[in-house]
Amino acid sequence: STQSTWGAHSAAEALDEYAAQRTENRKGVTIPSQIRYVHYYERLLAGECGGLGGLEEPPLLLRSIVLYSTPRANDDGSCDLYVLVFRRGSRHKHRPLRQARGNFHNPMELVYDSRNAGLPLAHHRDDYIITLKIANDLVLHGDFKVCICHKDSPLCWAWLHTAFLIGEQSVYLSKAEVDGAYKDKKQVRFDATFGVRVLYEPATDVHGEAHALLHRVGHVLDPRRLLRRPALLTPDPPTDSSCTAELEGVVIDI
């Protein structure tokens, strides 16, 4: 859908044009995260966040997820919640910019599971505000996905990019902006006032360097292990050939 932004004056105009050309009922891009990324692309065209020539990926520490109103997943209207966080895989390959069709590699890497971080399922019923804290220092950069789950099933989720979150300490998503929840027009599971707030802060130099080092060697992060020996990280990142050797004996996970 972002392809059409080249001939449009704004993200909204590009989405309208795409909807008009795709279907008779003007339902084009409907998934909230996809719409969000069209607006991200508009900001890139305007030169923000490094522009098209060099999209920035500043590291952020994810602190907590706040839900407004309780999703009704059990028969009694309650739910048993946990959080999964994914990042775009190190082997991710974008489709060429002007290629409208064709396959592209889109792996995701699980970087956090609250169940493996020592947190029990959060049982709630009729609560208006639910805070789901992130147990470990979870550093994210670039694209990431926050998924709110009940038992073994995802309830709702959202894709975000750290470059477009800098300067704030949280981002609020209304029900219409949350994948999975926006489809519940009859409010069977999600109230009309349902929303999600993602709280975060800039990562420190130590966290940022550790995460960048792991990203360079394509390391898959295990949320059950913590950054235990930051003193072994040098201020200047090592050369690519020494990355793997330097990681030996160091537990650097988020």
Side-chain angles (χ1 to χ4, degrees), residues 10 12 18 37 39 56 64 85 103 115 122 129 165 183 188:
S10 67
Y18 182 76
Y37 271 70
H39 286 275
E56 300 165 353
S64 61
V85 180
N103 296 326
R115 298 170 299 178
I129 297 179
L165 304 180
K183 288 186 174 181
V188 174

Side-chain angles (χ1 to χ4, degrees), residues 9-168:
H9 295 92
S10 67
E13 185 178 325
L15 289 166
D16 287 342
E17 178 184 347
Y18 182 76
Q21 294 183 9
R22 182 184 179 188
T23 62
E24 294 181 357
N25 61 4
R26 299 187 65 85
K27 287 187 177 180
V29 181
T30 58
I31 298 174
S33 286
Q34 292 182 352
I35 295 173
R36 184 176 307 112
Y37 271 70
V38 175
H39 286 275
Y40 282 172
Y41 190 70
E42 178 184 30
R43 293 173 62 181
L44 283 179
L45 288 175
E48 294 185 35
C49 307
L52 291 177
L55 175 60
E56 300 165 353
E57 294 188 345
L60 295 177
L61 274 172
L62 187 62
R63 286 310 189 192
S64 61
I65 311 296
V66 178
L67 307 185
Y68 296 92
S69 81
T70 304
R72 292 177 287 276
N74 292 318
D75 292 340
D76 63 356
S78 66
C79 60
D80 300 283
L81 301 174
Y82 62 95
V83 178
L84 300 179
V85 180
F86 300 85
R87 71 165 182 171
R88 191 75 73 184
S90 57
R91 297 188 304 273
H92 172 75
K93 239 181 226 185
H94 286 285
R95 183 186 295 136
L97 189 60
R98 294 187 180 277
Q99 179 182 329
R101 298 180 181 277
N103 296 326
F104 64 103
H105 199 39
N106 185 30
M108 292 189 298
E109 294 174 359
L110 177 66
V111 294
Y112 181 81
D113 183 335
S114 61
R115 298 170 299 178
N116 294 335
L119 297 178
L121 295 181
H123 181 79
H124 292 273
R125 181 180 177 183
D126 298 331
D127 293 327
Y128 179 67
I129 297 179
I130 300 172
T131 301
L132 304 172
K133 293 185 177 181
I134 304 300
N136 304 329
D137 286 336
L138 178 57
V139 180
L140 300 168
H141 70 93
D143 299 302
F144 67 97
K145 174 185 178 181
V146 174
C147 188
I148 309 302
C149 303
H150 163 77
K151 295 184 177 177
D152 294 324
S153 302
L155 291 175
C156 59
W157 55 95
W159 276 99
L160 298 161
H161 194 290
T162 59
F164 302 93
L165 304 180
I166 290 297
E168 304 291 340

